Amino acid sequence: MAYYPDWVGSTFPPTRIDFKRVDWIDFAFAVPTEDFSLTWDDPTGPTLLEDLVSSAHSMGAKVKLSIGGWTGSKHFSSAVATPDSRVLFAQNILAVYLQYSLDGIEIDWEYPGQAGSPGNKFHPDDTANFLLFLNILRTVLPPVARITAAVEPTPFVDAAGRPLTDVEEFSKVLDWVLIMNYDIWGSSSHPGPNAPLYDACENSTQPDASAAGAYDAWTKANFPTSKLVLGLPSYGYISSSTEARLRTRSKTKAKKTKSGKIVGDDGDSEGQVQFNELVQQGVLLRSGNDSFHYEVNAESGFEGLWDGCSETPYLRSSIFNQVITYDNPTSLAMKAAFAKKVGMLGINLFDIHGDTDRWDLLDSIRYALELL
């Protein structure tokens, strides 16, 4: 599975997607409004969604609409607060589901019972109300519609703000949950891994925030492993930093190198950077025509390092005082292999436009899942 965000429509239209490599595409995002209807994260959303559904269905892939997101979760709490609002919200989602011939709906509420993005409304009863809403949505949507949720590495919180110890009732109404195993650390002068596989050194300040930690947390709370999907990032973070190691403080193996400061797709030297931008800017080089392996360009001014505590790569330049925390085909394949080993349903990449023209990220994941 992979996400398709509406903000890439002008440079990465749906026709560029190789739908033979995915079973599901999540279109991000539709946004709940104050009157519990849906609007669009971007004005081009409706047209892009129509194109995406048409292209996907012609190739046998399915499309879910992701509702919410980090900046789109302001009105979820109000939308699920009362019996009337829950029914109205569900009916409005049904209308969009039918209008665009969708195959499913994802609720990406960030986060029930917690503030999330500044300005979000939240309430101690959010999680309980969310479950009530999902049960209504299940009765409103056609039986074939998939209903999923994007979630944190730890389960939804109770009225006191603590992770629930039993989420079995959610598993009865949700077809799966997507664990957002990314954005664990962002840009920082003391950077940490974006998407840890493990807390192998047992010294993380966020011990549950890893693929393994999330698996433990959700399964211990009675959510079936077979309904867990592991979310993986196509992007990393640029940090202005002189640190030699990540916050997990692992020993590293360095490959010494010796051209320009890294910038993200918005031109900034802080914030997110897609994997394909690291390739396009000449920092990473593909090691062969038939290989997913990438090496650091010896002329880039960066050295390639590996954080053994999180099992993720990172790049460091003492010339530019930058640290790039990211995932490559190797580290993504390791997480995909973990998901397969423990019996998870699958993998979802956020997002598809960050992959290379050869689809090295998707193919490394598919290889680890034994789909290649």
Side-chain angles (χ1 to χ4, degrees):
M1 313 175 196
Y3 280 89
Y4 178 84
D6 55 15
W7 55 84
V8 304
S10 61
T11 58
F12 193 91
T15 52
R16 285 189 58 181
I17 300 172
D18 185 352
F19 290 100
K20 293 180 180 179
R21 285 178 159 88
V22 293
D23 300 299
W24 285 86
I25 289 285
D26 285 270
F27 182 83
F29 293 100
V31 178
T33 65
E34 195 169 7
D35 64 1
F36 317 137
S37 61
L38 295 178
T39 187
W40 300 97
D41 192 51
D42 187 278
T44 63
T47 300
L48 277 176
L49 181 54
E50 288 177 351
D51 293 344
L52 183 69
V53 170
S54 176
S55 297
H57 285 178
S58 70
M59 299 297 292
K62 296 182 178 181
V63 178
K64 282 195 284 102
L65 175 62
S66 184
I67 300 173
W70 178 248
T71 59
S73 295
K74 181 177 180 180
H75 298 296
F76 271 121
S77 182
S78 300
V80 304
T82 70
D84 287 345
S85 67
R86 290 192 282 269
V87 171
L88 178 58
F89 190 34
Q91 291 288 351
N92 288 334
I93 291 174
L94 171 64
V96 173
Y97 174 91
L98 295 174
Q99 179 180 354
Y100 293 96
S101 301
L102 296 167
D103 303 291
I105 294 293
E106 176 189 79
I107 305 298
D108 185 0
W109 181 353
E110 301 184 23
Y111 305 97
Q114 301 177 77
S117 180
N120 280 7
K121 300 175 182 178
F122 65 102
H123 190 275
D125 292 336
D126 280 348
T127 295
N129 290 337
F130 187 29
L131 180 58
L132 293 171
F133 164 74
L134 289 173
N135 278 290
I136 292 173
L137 185 63
R138 177 70 284 167
T139 63
V140 168
L141 291 180
V144 295
R146 295 290 187 266
I147 301 176
T148 70
V151 301
E152 293 185 276
T154 51
F156 306 116
V157 299
D158 62 18
R162 298 169 301 214
L164 293 176
T165 58
D166 189 347
V167 289
E168 184 176 7
E169 291 302 310
F170 280 93
S171 74
K172 294 176 181 179
V173 66
L174 291 169
D175 289 285
W176 63 83
V177 296
L178 163 77
I179 297 169
M180 295 184 287
N181 186 49
Y182 36 73
D183 300 332
I184 306 305
W185 293 105
S187 299
S188 170
S189 58
H190 304 288
N194 179 34
L197 171 54
Y198 298 114
D199 176 23
C201 301
E202 298 183 353
N203 62 357
S204 174
T205 56
Q206 297 173 288
D208 294 327
S210 68
Y215 163 76
D216 288 341
W218 279 91
T219 54
K220 286 178 181 177
N222 299 320
F223 204 91
T225 304
S226 61
K227 287 191 171 187
L228 296 177
V229 168
L230 185 61
L232 301 180
S234 64
Y235 62 91
Y237 280 93
I238 308 167
S239 294
S240 296
S241 175
T242 59
E243 294 286 351
R245 297 177 179 175
L246 301 189
R247 292 191 184 201
T248 45
R249 302 302 180 191
S250 71
K251 295 180 180 178
T252 58
K253 296 180 181 179
K255 179 182 291 184
K256 293 293 183 179
T257 61
K258 257 203 51 160
S259 121
K261 198 172 216 181
I262 296 299
V263 296
D265 56 5
D266 55 3
D268 289 340
S269 56
E270 291 270 344
Q272 291 185 359
V273 60
Q274 297 290 341
F275 181 81
N276 61 15
E277 292 169 345
L278 295 175
V279 177
Q280 293 164 9
Q281 293 181 50
V283 178
L284 299 178
L285 300 175
R286 202 172 195 266
S287 62
N289 290 331
D290 299 317
S291 171
F292 306 135
H293 184 63
Y294 278 78
E295 297 181 348
V296 178
N297 181 359
E299 302 301 321
S300 69
F302 284 82
E303 56 182 341
L305 301 157
W306 186 267
D307 175 48
C309 294
S310 63
E311 299 288 23
T312 59
Y314 63 108
L315 305 167
R316 178 177 179 269
S317 172
S318 57
I319 300 171
F320 307 116
N321 290 333
Q322 283 188 313
V323 172
I324 317 295
T325 51
Y326 73 113
D327 273 273
N328 60 19
T330 299
S331 63
L332 292 180
M334 291 173 67
K335 284 187 269 278
F338 167 81
K340 179 176 177 62
K341 180 179 179 181
V342 299
M344 289 188 185
L345 177 62
I347 294 296
N348 197 325
L349 183 71
F350 198 106
D351 64 77
I352 198 164
H353 98 288
D355 205 343
T356 67
D357 291 339
R358 296 176 183 244
W359 305 104
D360 292 310
L361 301 185
L362 279 179
D363 279 353
S364 66
I365 291 168
R366 294 171 67 228
Y367 183 83
L369 296 176
E370 299 181 5
L371 298 175
L372 276 180

